[in-house]
Amino acid sequence: MEDRFHIVKLWQEQDPESIIQKYKDDVVAINCNMSHKISYKLMSALPSLELIATFSVGFDHIDLDAAKARGIKVTNTPDILCQETADTGLALLLATAKRVAEGDMFVRVGKWLSGELPLGTSLANKTIGIVGLGGIGTKVAKRCEAFEMTVVYYGPREKDTPYRYYDDITTMAQDCDMMILTCPGGEETANLIDANILEALGPKGILINIARGSVVDEPALVHALQNDIIAGAGLDVYFNEPHVPEELISMDNVVLLPHIGSATLETRIMMGQLVIDNILAHFDGRELLTEVKI
Ligand code: 8YV
C-alpha cells in the first residue's frame, strides 16, 4: 500500500485528532476496524473521503446513512472469517459446558489434590438455538451437527435449511438448551437478549455470544448468572470493550475471551488482503470485491 499511497498510521500517533486536522483535505480512504467509530462528524471533517474499508465483517461502527448521503463506499470482510469465528463459538461452547477454563485453573492452583471439579454438561443430544443464521451462523450449525446436537434458529426470515425455524425468539429460548448469538450488531438487534429471553432459556441454559456486546442486555445477563436464572455463559464480545464488568470476571460459570472471533494469523492475513484488494479496486476504477450495500 505504501508504494501507492501516503499512509497515515493513526494508531501510532500520540495525538490522532491533530493528525486528522493536518491531513483532512487529502484523506481519500479510511481503513478501520470495529473498535473505531466512523461517525458523521468524522466523515464531515474529511471532504475528499471516497471509501471506508473495514477490517471486519460487522459494520455497526460505521454511520451508513452518513456514508450514503455523501456517496462514500463501504467495504467489509465477509465469508473468509466465517469458519474461524464459528470455531471460536464452538471453543466457547465446549469451554463453558465442559468447564475447560475452570478445570485449567483447578489444576494450576492445586485444587485437584484435594477434590474434584463439578460435573460438566453434554453437548450431544441437546438443542442449540442459533440467533442469526448468516455466514457465521451456518458454519456454527454445521459444527454443532458434528457434535450431534439438534440445531434450530431464529432470525428475521426463514431460510432454505433442514433446521427448524422460529419467528419468535422467546419460544426458541424456551425450547433450547443452549443459545449462540451470531447476528449482526446495530440498532435492530440492540438488547435482543434481555431478562425475559434469559428466563426463557432457563436454569440449565448456556448463552454464547460471538456477535456483538450490544445484542445482550449486559446487566440483565449479570443478574441472570448471579441468580441461577441461566447456568453459564461464554462471551467473546462485550458492551463496552475492552471493559468487562467486574461481576463477570469473578464468576466461575463464565468463560471470557477478548474478542478473538476471527483472530488467527491465517484468517487475519486473508482479511487484511481483502481490505487492500478493495482499496486497490476502488482506486483502479474496478468493481469492489465486497461492498456493503447501503
Ligand atoms: C474484527 C469482528 O474483525 O469481523 C468482525 O465483525 O468483530 C472481528 O472479527 C476484529 O476484531 C478486527 O477488528
Side-chain angles (χ1 to χ4, degrees), residues 33-35 55-58 77 81 211-212 259 261-262 268 271:
N33 72 25
M34 43 70 55
S35 57
F55 181 72
S56 61
V57 61
T77 59
L81 50 59
R212 284 289 181 266
H259 199 147
S262 64
R268 288 289 170 85
M271 290 165 66

Side-chain angles (χ1 to χ4, degrees), residues 5-19:
F5 299 96
H6 174 208
I7 311 284
V8 180
K9 297 176 181 173
L10 272 189
W11 74 92
Q12 291 178 347
E13 298 294 339
Q14 295 288 353
D15 182 6
E17 284 304 324
S18 70
I19 298 296

Side-chain angles (χ1 to χ4, degrees), residues 101-113 115-118:
E102 204 184 333
D104 177 271
M105 197 53 75
F106 198 80
V107 176
R108 286 176 199 269
V109 302
K111 281 194 183 172
W112 194 19
L113 300 172
E116 283 183 20
L117 191 70

